[in-house]
Amino acid sequence: MNYQDEVLRIFDKSGAHSAWGIKHCTRVYHLAKEISQHLQLDDEILYVASMLHDTGRYPAYALSNIDHALRSKGIASNLLQRMAFSPHKIPVVLEAVESHMYYSEPGRSDEAVYIRDSDILDNLGNIGLMRLFSLIGHDELIKTPEDALERARTFAEALPNKVYTKTGRRIAVKRREEMLRFLSGVKRQSTEFAKVL
């Protein structure tokens, strides 16, 4: 079995919510490739780090009171060693997995920086909105539609400033505008509806 098949098996038994599952991870991988196309990054590292960065969040692997990025790093380390993944690439994958969150500093490797930026970008724009609304009732911070709207506002304001790369920042600005247009429309339409009552 090749490393890609082995990594994909994680999703089969993960219980991952679609907001963090294989589609999110695949978007992170493709975004990382897109925004780093001017560089010669290691595709195996990008792929594996993208696919494993959220495993510590999935019900089958999550541990309470453990940050999912650290848990994901531990899972990735065990899996990559078991798969006999290239030993000199493992530390780069683990750094990318551990530092992928917007509240973390970017990792030292280019792969880690681009994975982090791509993960942030997938929380912005129309896809970010869709992910937030899909989490209503499935996330302790997003129990109601109002919580999702507030989280969208927070993301639109804060996340673009967390993007490190020049190309990523350009995309972040566009995706921020998508979110703000949506939020403005909801506010306008909610106000119009309230006036009728």
Side-chain angles (χ1 to χ4, degrees):
M1 182 177 296
N2 66 32
Y3 76 90
Q4 291 160 324
D5 292 338
E6 188 75 25
V7 167
L8 291 176
R9 283 180 28 159
I10 291 276
F11 294 102
D12 292 339
K13 58 183 178 178
S14 70
H17 186 280
S18 61
W20 296 300
I22 192 166
K23 290 181 181 179
H24 162 65
C25 295
T26 302
R27 285 191 305 272
V28 168
Y29 169 65
H30 287 291
L31 270 168
K33 287 180 62 128
E34 178 185 333
I35 65 177
S36 69
Q37 63 185 327
H38 62 287
L39 300 173
Q40 294 292 320
L41 300 186
D42 188 296
D43 193 62
E44 283 185 341
I45 291 172
L46 282 180
Y47 179 81
V48 172
S50 297
M51 293 298 150
L52 297 178
H53 77 277
D54 274 341
T55 52
R57 180 185 297 276
Y58 306 155
Y61 305 103
L63 295 176
S64 60
N65 301 318
I66 303 288
D67 181 85
H68 87 272
L70 292 175
R71 177 70 176 139
S72 297
K73 178 184 176 184
I75 295 164
S77 177
N78 291 335
L79 178 67
L80 295 174
Q81 289 174 35
R82 193 174 68 239
M83 296 179 359
F85 192 73
S86 180
H88 73 279
K89 294 181 181 185
I90 291 176
V92 184
V93 170
L94 299 181
E95 176 194 34
V97 169
E98 181 179 13
S99 63
H100 81 272
M101 286 299 294
Y102 63 87
Y103 52 74
S104 299
E105 289 297 315
R108 293 180 308 277
S109 71
D110 287 336
E111 289 85 358
V113 169
Y114 283 93
I115 292 294
R116 180 179 175 274
D117 276 7
S118 298
D119 189 57
I120 292 170
L121 291 171
D122 204 52
N123 284 291
L124 292 169
N126 293 325
I127 198 69
L129 288 165
M130 194 168 101
R131 291 180 68 214
L132 284 171
F133 281 94
S134 76
L135 288 169
I136 295 171
H138 299 280
D139 185 286
E140 63 188 38
L141 298 175
I142 307 173
K143 295 178 180 169
T144 67
E146 291 77 14
D147 292 341
L149 288 170
E150 186 54 39
R151 189 88 166 168
R153 275 187 210 90
T154 300
F155 280 6
E157 293 304 323
L159 292 186
N161 298 326
K162 301 285 188 177
V163 176
Y164 187 78
T165 62
K166 186 176 180 179
T167 306
R169 284 192 302 270
R170 279 197 304 266
I171 295 170
V173 167
K174 290 177 186 173
R175 290 186 177 202
R176 176 183 184 271
E177 290 169 3
E178 287 175 2
M179 291 180 98
L180 292 176
R181 276 193 304 273
F182 172 82
L183 292 168
S184 175
V186 168
K187 182 177 181 180
R188 185 181 63 254
Q189 291 173 16
S190 297
T191 303
E192 290 169 3
F193 179 71
K195 289 178 186 176
V196 173
L197 298 178

